[in-house]
Amino acid sequence: MTDRYAVVGNPVAHSRSPSIHAQFAQQTGQDISYERLLAPLDGFVAVVEAFRATGGRGLNVTLPFKLQAFEFAQQRSPRAQAAGAVNTLRFGADAVFGDNTDGVGLVRDIQERLGFRLEGKRVLLAGAGGAARGALLPLLQSGVASISIVNRTVTRAVDLARLGGDPRVSACGFDELANAGPDDAPFDLIVNATSTGLEDAAPPIPSAAYRGLGLAYDMVYGAAPTPFMRRAAELGCPRVSDGLGMLVEQAAESFFVWRGVRPQTGAVLTRLRAEIGTA
Ligand code: ATR
């Protein structure tokens, strides 16, 4: 019998997940269906329970419901616990399991697709909201040397840095990044986890922080390079990437959580990139 999965969100019409999971299912020979569920803003739990009651086996959860999904889960993975949010629900015989595959998706895309080894690297993580929080534990587990969290509201960066209690993590404001000396190359990687791209702007990272950078990675994606990618390239960064690969990798990890099978992601990303419009 075909097992049912879906993505639940509001809005959800734009979601690429049904197409990605249909390709994974075809590639791995798994007998699943995958649909979109639009939940009213005050109706997340009712929609999820109705889906489960009619044979649903698992869900991807997107904005604005990742915190409610965290509350709804009866068991949570350590990475969901660390992220404080759930993007993957699996309905077992007796419990609802909640996971978060966003951060591992980021790390896989950086290491496996882009071939950028994270071990020993100094990372600047811009932003201190849910996207940044989800990235923190998987980045630390990949063996980075340090993570500096920079945020407009510095107290949020400080709180996030304290959360995991890892001595490799520190916090600062954007202004402090301008203090790097002219010969300093303070970071190997910048990850943009702010929402400034939605306002068609790059985050206010001083140019000194880009000096000597190996990779600039934006968690968002679009048809054209994002403002952050453009700024990094203008400042001489040799490698820039948007977050489309992260989207495909987090989907692959969710597929693995549900089915125990790990799909190949390369061809799916190539096809998605062509659909979206930039190579
Ligand atoms: P998400 O869950 O996507 O991370 P969020 O929790 O709203 O969304 O966080 C958005 C992030 O983008 C925050 O780090 C926010 O900074 P503040 O904590 O100071 O609000 C950051 N951000 C949004 N607009 C920004 C701007 N114009 N300049 C700098 N940072 C901005």
Side-chain angles (χ1 to χ4, degrees), residues 200-254:
D200 202 24
I205 301 171
S207 56
Y210 289 87
R211 212 173 286 137
L213 205 61
L215 172 65
Y217 191 101
D218 204 333
M219 283 200 190
V220 302
Y221 62 85
T226 66
F228 167 67
M229 290 164 68
R230 292 202 303 270
R231 175 154 167 81
E234 276 161 24
L235 291 171
C237 181
R239 199 103 201 253
V240 298
S241 177
D242 72 2
L244 195 66
M246 174 180 170
L247 174 76
V248 176
E249 291 298 338
Q250 65 78 29
E253 184 70 10
S254 294

Side-chain angles (χ1 to χ4, degrees), residues 7 54 88 92 131 145 180 186 249 262 266:
V7 53
T54 52
T88 305
E249 291 298 338
R262 205 175 280 289

Side-chain angles (χ1 to χ4, degrees), residues 9 22 27 93 98 126 165 168 181 206 222 271:
Q27 180 204 114
R168 290 175 291 170
R271 196 160 155 184

Side-chain angles (χ1 to χ4, degrees), residues 16-25 244 247-248 250-252 268 272:
R16 303 274 170 185
S17 295
S19 147
I20 295 172
H21 283 282
Q23 292 177 65
F24 287 164
L244 195 66
L247 174 76
V248 176
Q250 65 78 29
V268 177
L272 194 55

Side-chain angles (χ1 to χ4, degrees), residues 63 126-133 150-154 156-157 174 192-196 198-199 201-204:
L63 297 177
R133 185 170 169 182
V150 61
N151 199 48
R152 177 176 60 183
T153 313
V154 182
R156 284 187 89 193
F174 287 104
N192 180 27
T194 70
S195 54
T196 52
L198 303 177
E199 299 150 32

